[in-house]
Amino acid sequence: MTSPAVAGTGASVDEAPADPGKRLSSQERRRQILAAALAVFGARGYEGATTDEVARAAGVSQPYVVRLFGSKENLFLAAIEDALTRMLAGFRAALADDSPHDPDITPEKAAAKRIGQAYVDLIAVRGLHQTLAHAYLLGSHPVIGAAARQGFAKVWRFFRDEMGLDADESRTFMAEGMLISTMIGLRIVDDYGSDPQITELFRSCFPTELPHVLEVLPRGTDRW
């Protein structure tokens, strides 16, 4: 399937049909709307986004979005679940990858490197990291707060139970992930190359993936 741009940006919304004339199933349309929701919620936050903006980004009508999800709250909950599912699936695939690794590092460090790469690769899914970041700020919301806490705990349990890290190592992983999420939300990529401190930060966070990261990170002028 191809990945047409989110309206008004160079970002991609995946799960779109390869054939523009093909009639989508309701499940395919739902995936398309969720991809648009990640982009819109990631940029606008829960309070700032509207179902109409999501509908326009997905290329469907606003009543159709409401018919599928019922409310903006339900749509945001579905977007959180989708983001967490994608993230944990990427982590698990990286953990299970048994391809040859650098013989100078241990298998555990090789797995950690692959999982870190999986997190960075998800930057290409516009809005995924930022939708989760917005969710983590809504702890006082009676419904979203509970879902966000459960999702946050799932990520922690992955590092502890599945990856086998101790508490300090898990904390470091999550702290570095939060740093990257903050950098995405700040659109701080615009200052790369002109601000020595920001340039140093990028080179420290993305020592091998920098060209790709600079290409896919959202810019200040991007709508989403």
Side-chain angles (χ1 to χ4, degrees):
M1 292 187 178
T2 59
S3 298
V6 176
T9 77
S12 65
V13 168
D14 52 10
E15 308 300 349
D19 179 1
K22 175 188 174 184
R23 184 178 180 84
L24 296 181
S25 68
S26 61
Q27 188 60 33
E28 288 172 326
R29 189 69 76 187
R30 186 178 189 276
R31 290 197 299 268
Q32 184 179 4
I33 292 170
L34 281 175
L38 287 176
V40 176
F41 283 128
R44 298 279 191 263
Y46 175 67
E47 296 294 341
T50 66
T51 54
D52 187 57
E53 284 181 306
V54 173
R56 289 201 304 271
V60 300
S61 69
Q62 191 268 352
Y64 187 80
V65 172
V66 174
R67 186 162 76 248
L68 277 186
F69 292 93
S71 66
K72 184 172 81 167
E73 180 181 287
N74 287 341
L75 178 58
F76 190 68
L77 290 169
I80 295 172
E81 181 180 4
D82 184 55
L84 287 166
T85 297
R86 288 173 181 249
M87 180 181 295
L88 289 171
F91 288 173
R92 287 174 178 132
L95 185 61
D97 184 357
D98 59 357
S99 57
H101 59 81
D102 186 343
D104 293 331
I105 63 175
T106 65
E108 292 77 15
K109 287 187 177 180
K113 185 175 181 180
R114 292 195 304 271
I115 290 169
Q117 182 64 54
Y119 188 81
V120 171
D121 288 345
L122 286 168
I123 294 173
V125 182
R126 183 60 61 95
L128 183 147
H129 297 83
Q130 287 312 105
T131 295
L132 291 175
H134 284 300
Y136 296 153
L137 294 174
L138 293 171
S140 63
H141 191 284
V143 178
I144 295 172
R149 287 189 291 274
Q150 290 171 7
F152 194 83
K154 282 182 181 179
V155 178
W156 176 262
R157 292 317 325 169
F158 169 81
F159 290 129
R160 295 286 283 121
D161 298 343
E162 298 184 46
M163 196 173 170
L165 300 182
D166 63 28
D168 285 342
E169 292 168 330
S170 299
R171 172 180 51 78
T172 298
F173 244 104
M174 294 189 76
E176 291 182 358
M178 289 295 181
L179 171 60
I180 291 172
S181 292
T182 300
M183 293 168 68
I184 298 169
L186 286 170
R187 310 274 171 121
I188 206 168
V189 65
D190 288 346
D191 296 328
Y192 177 81
S194 61
D195 185 315
Q197 285 72 41
I198 301 305
T199 301
E200 179 184 61
L201 176 61
F202 268 88
R203 290 174 178 171
S204 174
C205 289
F206 311 108
T208 60
E209 313 91 350
L210 187 56
H212 174 65
V213 169
L214 293 175
E215 180 181 354
V216 300
L217 277 176
R219 304 277 173 168
T221 54
D222 289 345
R223 187 176 184 185
W224 310 131

